[in-house]
């Protein structure tokens, strides 16, 4: 009898232990998962405090409330023959057409990235069309111009180039009711838009019957030969060619924030995908200094967005620009005229890095539908792993990978040298020197200033900070 009672007591204790163990597992696993999530949110919290308008912007865009009306079609991912057939016979429908926006900033290697798409035989490529808008609306700040830029992108992706006539007229006031001045936007042609002297569509048949090489042949275009053999054509002819291609790619550097593209990413029928290019800010600053006079005008437009980008943020120390240059108010005296360009470029870089930070946080918190339409690329990865990154990019765009393009991208990153007297010229460069050039050319103070202004974005992009000596 006592043995039976003892056995029943042991069974009850065993059952109680089993129940407690089960409850412990049920409570512990969710706690660990929640702890990990809270740990991730805690890591982002200091960065979110630097972007107090991000939450409000996400609410205004309504990015999580409703996904695009058109779900991604798996058939669109197939490049191969479908793309080639659409390009060849002009039968590509709107449902199959894909649009790629290369989201970058100045001196990040965006021209090289764009050239890879310019070379692809199934791509209609547009090089920096928003330059016209920025020139016409100068000195409008970068943030204020984002809405107009988005409207232009929408029109261009739909092969409507008439929007360029709004901004291609010569600068300066004129009577809006009077006749257009000679050479104005009314007779806009292919000459002078989309980097036309090296554009594969403009510099090949059928727009240019006397072209030195066919469209499908991979290789850089000789700009002088194109200008000599390819006469200007009307925009309507270029629009007709645009409609034949299954993929339209726009590369530009003037859209400040990824969030401005969210309405287009959700737009039915547009099928937009975004590739965002980043580069080590120290290398960007070094490259911008080499071309500082050419970038001064647009750097001022970026810099004028400084106090509008985060109006609810607490005042921040201006790390790369003396206050006297921002409005002529209080602060230390302005530097000599010969050094002002460097200060303007440095201040603009700080604004750009803050825009990068907002983009990175937005992408981290993006819903699944947006993650399918967005990808990031570091310039360093592109030039050090050219074949692998080319395959990844073309797969993201739904394009095949011609073997000649793999050879092209390798040759372009294995040039004899990095330096060039013409910094905007696309040519073969030494990728290793391009990645490390800033270490020899920036002073310790310049390195420290860039890292102080861009440190948060650099951390999210896995760019290690230099040592105490600024190297």
């Amino acid at each position: 009898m006592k043995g039976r009672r003892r056995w029943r007591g042991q069974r009850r204790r065993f059952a109680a232990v089993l129940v407690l163990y089960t409850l412990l597992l049920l409570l512990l696993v969710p706690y660990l998962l929640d702890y990990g999530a809270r740990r991730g949110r805690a890591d982002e919290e200091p960065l979110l405090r630097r972007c107090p308008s991000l939450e409000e912007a996400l609410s205004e865009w309504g990015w999580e409330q409703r996904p695009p009306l058109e779900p991604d079609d798996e058939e669109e991912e197939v490049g191969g023959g479908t793309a080639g057939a659409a390009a060849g016979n002009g039968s590509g429908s709107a449902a199959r057409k894909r649009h790629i926006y290369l989201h970058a900033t100045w001196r990040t290697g965006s021209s090289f990235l764009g050239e890879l798409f310019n070379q692809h035989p199934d791509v209609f490529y547009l090089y920096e069309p928003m330059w016209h808008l920025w020139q016409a609306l100068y000195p409008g700040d970068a943030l204020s111009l984002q809405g107009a830029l988005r409207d232009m992108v929408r029109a261009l992706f739909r092969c409507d180039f008439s929007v360029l006539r709004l901004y291609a007229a010569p600068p300066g006031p004129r009577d809006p009711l009077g006749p257009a001045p000679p050479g104005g936007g009314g007779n806009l042609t292919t000459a002078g838009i989309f980097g036309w002297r090296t554009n594969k569509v403009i510099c090949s048949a059928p727009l240019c019957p006397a072209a030195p090489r066919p469209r499908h042949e991979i290789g850089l275009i000789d700009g002088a030969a194109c200008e000599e053999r390819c006469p200007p054509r009307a925009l309507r002819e270029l629009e007709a060619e645009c409609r034949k291609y299954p993929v339209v790619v726009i590369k530009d550097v003037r859209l400040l924030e990824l969030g401005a593209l969210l309405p287009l990413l959700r737009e039915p029928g547009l099928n937009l995908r975004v590739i965002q290019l980043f580069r080590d800010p120290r290398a960007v600053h070094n490259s911008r200094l080499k071309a500082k006079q050419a970038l001064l005008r647009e750097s001022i437009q970026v810099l004028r967005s400084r106090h509008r980008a985060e109006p609810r943020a607490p005042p921040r120390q201006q790390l790369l620009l003396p206050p006297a240059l921002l409005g002529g108010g209080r602060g230390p005296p302005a530097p000599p005229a010969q050094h002002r360009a460097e200060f303007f470029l440095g201040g603009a870089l700080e604004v750009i890095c803050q825009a990068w930070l907002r983009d990175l946080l937005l992408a981290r918190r993006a819903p699944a539908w947006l993650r399918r339409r967005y990808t990031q690329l570091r310039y360093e990865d592109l030039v050090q792993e050219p074949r692998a990154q080319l395959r990844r990019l073309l797969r993201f765009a739904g394009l095949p990978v011609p073997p000649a393009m793999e050879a092209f991208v390798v040759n372009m990153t294995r040039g004899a040298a990095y330096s060039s007297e013409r910094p905007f010229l696309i040519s073969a460069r030494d990728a290793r020197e391009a990645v490390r050039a800033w270490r020899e050319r920036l002073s310790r103070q310049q390195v420290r200033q860039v890292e102080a202004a861009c440190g948060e974005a650099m951390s999210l992009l896995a760019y290690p900070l230099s040592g105490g000596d600024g190297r």
Side-chain angles (χ1 to χ4, degrees):
M1 190 70 177
K2 291 182 180 180
R4 184 179 300 176
R5 289 177 181 175
R6 189 165 48 250
W7 179 79
R8 288 177 180 174
Q10 291 176 348
R11 188 171 63 175
R12 291 193 190 99
R13 286 194 294 272
F14 177 77
V17 170
L18 183 61
V19 170
L20 289 174
Y21 181 73
T22 303
L23 290 174
L24 181 63
L25 288 179
L26 292 175
L27 293 174
L28 184 61
V29 172
Y31 174 80
L32 292 175
L33 293 176
D34 182 65
Y35 174 78
R38 284 187 285 108
R39 177 81 177 270
R41 289 194 296 269
D43 292 341
E44 289 185 0
E45 187 63 28
L47 300 180
L48 289 172
R49 286 198 294 269
R50 298 291 295 273
C51 305
S53 64
L54 181 61
E55 291 288 347
E56 181 177 337
L58 295 180
S59 176
E60 291 173 356
W61 289 320
W63 69 328
E64 289 184 320
Q65 282 75 7
R66 53 191 192 279
L69 296 180
E70 277 192 348
D72 288 339
D73 188 350
E74 294 298 327
E75 293 180 358
E76 293 173 354
E77 300 296 334
V78 181
T82 302
N89 58 25
S91 62
S93 65
R96 289 192 313 213
K97 206 172 185 74
R98 294 178 296 283
H99 303 94
I100 312 295
Y101 184 80
L102 306 182
H103 181 34
T105 191
W106 295 267
R107 315 310 300 154
T108 53
S110 61
S111 294
F112 171 52
L113 174 62
E115 184 61 31
L116 298 181
F117 286 94
N118 184 38
Q119 291 294 325
H120 200 288
D122 293 340
V123 169
F124 186 95
Y125 176 62
L126 291 75
Y127 173 89
E128 298 198 5
M130 275 75 91
W131 178 89
H132 301 280
L133 187 150
W134 267 50
Q135 296 298 311
L137 299 184
Y138 183 86
D141 67 85
L143 204 60
S144 297
L145 297 179
Q146 287 196 121
L149 291 175
R150 181 177 60 238
D151 293 341
M152 175 178 276
V153 169
R154 177 188 288 109
L156 296 176
F157 273 140
R158 297 190 181 280
C159 299
D160 178 7
F161 301 154
S162 62
V163 65
L164 293 171
R165 294 192 175 96
L166 299 174
Y167 307 106
R174 68 178 181 89
D175 181 4
L177 300 179
N187 60 349
L188 189 64
T189 67
T190 55
I193 59 174
F194 308 153
W196 72 281
R197 297 173 77 252
T198 57
N199 186 285
K200 297 277 285 192
V201 174
I202 296 176
C203 297
S204 62
L207 291 181
C208 182
R213 62 197 315 173
R215 171 68 179 87
H216 64 271
E217 184 178 323
I218 305 298
L220 293 176
I221 294 288
D222 184 340
C226 178
E227 187 171 6
E228 178 183 353
R229 301 186 185 188
C230 304
R233 307 297 289 265
L235 284 188
R236 64 178 180 275
E237 297 180 69
L238 190 61
E239 290 174 340
E241 283 301 304
C242 174
R243 296 186 186 100
K244 296 178 182 179
Y245 282 79
V247 178
V248 178
V249 176
I250 294 177
K251 171 260 177 181
D252 214 288
V253 293
R254 293 164 183 84
L255 198 72
L256 190 59
E257 295 181 341
L258 174 65
L261 293 174
L262 287 179
L264 300 188
L265 285 161
R266 294 180 51 255
E267 187 164 318
L270 197 56
N271 194 10
L272 174 62
R273 307 175 191 188
V274 177
I275 299 172
Q276 184 162 12
L277 177 65
F278 296 97
R279 189 179 184 182
D280 189 324
R282 295 161 296 198
V284 172
H285 192 51
N286 174 58
S287 183
R288 285 166 62 84
L289 291 177
K290 292 177 61 179
K292 58 186 175 183
Q293 292 304 324
L295 296 174
L296 179 59
R297 181 184 173 103
E298 292 181 296
S299 292
I300 293 174
Q301 289 177 272
V302 172
L303 185 57
R304 294 184 70 246
S305 299
R306 177 197 290 270
H307 296 300
R308 297 188 67 254
E310 292 294 346
R312 290 164 294 280
R316 298 179 56 237
Q317 180 185 3
Q318 294 164 0
L319 298 167
L320 297 180
L321 189 73
L325 289 179
L326 284 176
R330 297 177 180 177
Q338 64 268 27
H339 300 305
R340 292 182 183 178
E342 179 174 344
F343 283 109
F344 280 123
L345 264 65
L349 179 61
E350 184 178 356
V351 176
I352 290 168
C353 283
Q354 291 305 306
W356 278 5
L357 180 59
R358 289 190 291 274
D359 288 352
L360 291 165
L361 292 174
L362 187 152
R364 281 190 166 201
R365 308 180 70 187
W369 69 264
L370 179 55
R371 289 197 299 270
R372 291 195 299 268
R373 294 169 176 260
Y374 170 82
T375 192
Q376 297 173 354
L377 172 68
R378 300 195 318 171
Y379 171 79
E380 292 79 7
D381 297 330
L382 175 61
V383 298
Q384 292 175 340
E385 305 169 354
R387 282 197 180 94
Q389 294 300 327
L390 176 68
R391 295 191 195 105
R392 182 175 74 88
L393 293 173
L394 295 185
R395 184 169 61 249
F396 175 77
L399 288 165
V401 186
M405 280 199 65
E406 293 195 31
F408 175 82
V409 71
V410 170
N411 291 336
M412 290 292 288
T413 57
R414 300 295 184 268
Y418 165 64
S419 301
S420 173
E421 296 300 323
R422 300 174 62 188
F424 296 96
L425 178 68
I426 300 175
S427 61
R429 306 287 175 90
D430 183 343
R432 292 167 297 180
E433 186 177 350
V435 169
R436 64 172 181 254
W438 65 268
R439 297 179 179 272
E440 285 76 34
R441 301 180 186 184
L442 292 183
S443 68
R444 294 180 180 179
Q445 180 182 5
Q446 288 172 322
V447 171
R448 286 194 295 266
Q449 287 177 330
V450 172
E451 292 180 350
C454 303
E456 296 97 336
M458 292 175 64
S459 175
L460 294 180
L461 290 167
Y463 289 120
L465 299 179
S466 61
D469 60 351
R471 293 291 182 222

